[in-house]
Amino acid sequence: MIQNIPLERILFLDIETVPQAGSWDELSETEQYLWDKKTKFQRKEEVTAEEFYERAGIMAEFGKIICISIGMLEKNETLKIKSFSGHDEKKMLQEFGEIFNSPRLNNVILCAHNGKEFDFPWIARRYLINGIQPPAPFQMFGKKPWEIPHIDTMELWKFGDYKSFVSLELLAHVFGIPTPKDDIDGSMVSSIYYIEKDLQRIVDYCEKDVLTLANIFRRMRQEDLLKRNINLD
């Protein structure tokens, strides 16, 4: 039962991603060809590869991570939040990976919403693409399912119903948790990054998602909502 998991072992996590390039014209001919080939069966016939490129931020081969926000619970029922962000993805990933050298995170459990389908594999793939080994909690090869330290709140909500998809925003609503989408939502991240060039606004949004994620997990355990404190040590 999830009530038996020590909350202080859980690292709540969310990432924000964007296409690797700000526009289709910035891609090489090879990249344009591979994107066209990759998305051919996902696009409607009338949608060109160039028009579909706005969705490159959801594919690790064609996107990049611009923010990773994490949160861990303190003894006083406060969620301490820290973010790693920047335009240099490799440097950001290296800094994020260093936190797993802490003795506190030796047996950490990662938690994300739709993390098993998105956040966890995305992070691992981008580490490899940047020439870095993923931190231990993201490495799954050779492990039995019960040895993988991952919690996915979407999976918990499904209760075995594989047809069901539920957004973080909807779960927040049904559990009576303040919405994290009070400023922007995921569809706006790319334009805010490339056009408005407002990375801090994206970081703030990502941190709100981490707090919401942690509170959804708390509600699933029939526990009270957490408070928030920035700057995780």
Side-chain angles (χ1 to χ4, degrees):
M1 295 177 64
I2 62 173
Q3 285 82 359
N4 296 332
I5 301 173
L7 277 174
E8 63 274 12
R9 285 186 57 198
I10 300 176
L11 186 145
F12 298 97
L13 177 151
D14 187 54
I15 67 174
E16 298 302 330
T17 63
V18 295
Q20 286 180 23
S23 69
W24 174 258
D25 294 335
E26 295 177 45
L27 298 178
S28 67
E29 289 186 5
T30 299
E31 289 168 333
Q32 290 180 352
Y33 164 75
L34 291 172
W35 173 257
D36 186 5
K37 186 175 181 180
K38 169 79 173 179
T39 63
K40 182 177 180 179
F41 297 106
Q42 299 177 36
R43 294 180 272 122
K44 297 179 180 179
E45 291 185 4
E46 66 273 14
V47 178
T48 67
E50 179 177 357
E51 293 169 335
F52 202 69
Y53 184 66
E54 64 181 15
R55 294 180 58 81
I58 65 171
M59 300 184 192
E61 300 86 356
F62 296 94
K64 66 176 183 177
I65 301 171
I66 57 171
C67 180
I68 303 174
S69 293
I70 61 173
M72 292 194 77
L73 188 68
E74 293 294 292
K75 292 181 180 179
N76 60 356
E77 298 293 289
T78 297
L79 187 73
K80 300 195 73 174
I81 297 176
K82 180 179 178 66
S83 290
F84 302 83
S85 64
H87 308 294
D88 186 336
E89 184 187 43
K90 183 174 183 177
K91 180 180 177 182
M92 181 187 64
L93 291 174
Q94 288 173 328
E95 292 175 351
F96 171 65
E98 289 174 1
I99 70 171
F100 297 99
N101 295 327
S102 168
R104 180 183 179 185
L105 300 184
N106 282 343
N107 297 305
V108 73
I109 300 171
L110 305 178
C111 179
H113 188 72
N114 199 28
K116 292 185 179 181
E117 289 290 329
F118 189 76
D119 304 74
F120 306 148
W122 239 94
I123 290 172
R125 291 166 186 157
R126 293 310 301 175
Y127 265 99
L128 291 179
I129 289 171
N130 280 281
I132 316 170
Q133 278 298 316
F138 296 91
Q139 298 194 27
M140 300 172 59
F141 180 77
K143 294 181 180 178
K144 300 178 177 63
W146 55 88
E147 296 174 334
I148 299 172
H150 296 169
I151 298 173
D152 189 330
T153 50
M154 180 183 291
E155 183 179 76
L156 292 177
W157 183 252
K158 286 181 177 181
F159 287 94
D161 176 8
Y162 292 99
K163 305 183 298 299
S164 178
F165 174 90
V166 63
S167 68
L168 189 76
E169 183 180 20
L170 178 55
L171 273 188
H173 173 74
V174 300
F175 281 124
I177 300 168
T179 177
K181 317 297 182 183
D182 55 355
D183 179 31
I184 64 176
D185 61 44
S187 66
M188 302 165 62
V189 169
S190 182
S191 63
I192 292 172
Y193 180 76
Y194 281 113
I195 299 174
E196 298 182 22
K197 302 186 185 304
D198 192 348
L199 179 58
Q200 186 57 50
R201 189 178 174 193
I202 297 169
V203 172
D204 292 342
Y205 163 68
C206 195
E207 290 179 350
K208 289 177 184 177
D209 274 357
V210 169
L211 178 60
T212 302
L213 167 69
N215 276 326
I216 285 173
F217 187 72
R218 293 276 290 191
R219 286 297 198 213
M220 288 180 168
R221 289 164 54 109
Q222 305 296 298
E223 295 171 342
D224 294 334
L225 298 184
L226 295 168
K227 298 177 182 178
R228 166 184 176 170
N229 184 19
I230 304 301
N231 296 325
L232 177 66
D233 295 325

